[in-house]
């Protein structure tokens, strides 16, 4: 039984907390990682928390998740509305996938409204700030407990 979840972050999210706090808040990605680990531990889930600015790296991590992860939380960032390649990779993953956006993408520019990733996502959380990651982990915890019972 797999007990690891991958929490994958796309391009520019390494800048979290450093710019545009009115949109993304003041927490850094390291803060988010710490909170993710705290919440995941409640569900006895191990965490691989990663961020990249390279689309191919993100795709390689999704392929890795196929072998070793029970579920995925992903904030695809700017690739949300552009990447069929990311969608294709996620569609090869058998477990639950939670798509997270810190901001409410539907309240922002029209080009952010469409998500290729949602076609592969089990669930989507947006506009809940960085708390969205914790909510997504809770949902994975619930779904994986059901799958394993
Ligand atoms: O709301 C989200 O989480 C987004 O996925 C963030 C992406 C954006 O392209 C999506 O439409 C919505 C942008 C991530 C960039 O992150 C930054 C963080 C702080 C400062 C600048 C960029």
């Amino acid at each position: 039984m797999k007990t690891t979840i991958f929490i994958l972050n796309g391009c520019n999210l390494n800048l979290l907390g450093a710019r545009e706090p009115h949109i993304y808040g003041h927490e850094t990605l390291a803060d988010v990682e710490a909170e993710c680990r705290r919440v995941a531990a409640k569900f006895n889930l191990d965490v691989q928390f990663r961020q990249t600015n390279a689309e191919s790296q993100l795709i390689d991590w999704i392929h890795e998740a196929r072998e070793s992860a029970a579920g995925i939380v992903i904030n695809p960032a700017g690739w949300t509305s552009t990447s069929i390649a990311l969608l294709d990779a996620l569609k090869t993953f058998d477990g639950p996938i939670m798509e997270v956006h810190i901001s409410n993408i539907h309240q922002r520019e029209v080009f952010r409204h469409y998500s290729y990733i949602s076609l592969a996502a089990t669930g989507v959380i947006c506009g809940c700030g960085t708390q969205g990651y914790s909510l997504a982990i809770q949902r994975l915890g619930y779904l994986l407990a059901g799958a394993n019972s």
Side-chain angles (χ1 to χ4, degrees), residues 5-80:
I5 58 170
F6 275 32
I7 303 178
L8 302 177
N9 295 279
C11 44
N12 297 308
L13 282 164
N14 53 308
L15 298 177
L16 204 62
R19 296 206 47 207
E20 304 190 81
H22 55 294
I23 300 175
Y24 300 114
H26 289 279
E27 279 190 301
T28 66
L29 202 60
D31 296 332
V32 175
E33 178 175 357
E35 182 62 10
C36 285
R37 291 190 183 284
R38 193 186 70 78
V39 174
K42 291 185 182 182
F43 295 92
N44 294 318
L45 293 171
D46 299 315
V47 168
Q48 284 288 328
F49 190 99
R50 301 178 186 177
Q51 187 276 331
T52 182
N53 293 323
E55 187 177 359
S56 64
Q57 174 67 87
L58 193 50
I59 290 167
D60 285 343
W61 286 342
I62 292 165
H63 294 174
E64 183 186 336
R66 281 162 47 78
E67 306 301 322
S68 55
I72 294 176
V73 174
I74 184 165
N75 184 344
W79 293 313
T80 305

Side-chain angles (χ1 to χ4, degrees), residues 9-21 23-25 27 74-81 99-105 108-109 111-114 125-127 129 133:
N9 295 279
C11 44
N12 297 308
L13 282 164
N14 53 308
L15 298 177
L16 204 62
R19 296 206 47 207
E20 304 190 81
I23 300 175
Y24 300 114
E27 279 190 301
I74 184 165
N75 184 344
W79 293 313
T80 305
S81 308
E99 176 183 353
V100 172
H101 300 284
I102 298 166
S103 63
N104 181 352
I105 55 174
R108 302 182 63 191
E109 302 97 320
F111 64 80
R112 295 186 198 278
H113 295 186
Y114 184 75
I125 295 171
C126 81
Y133 287 81

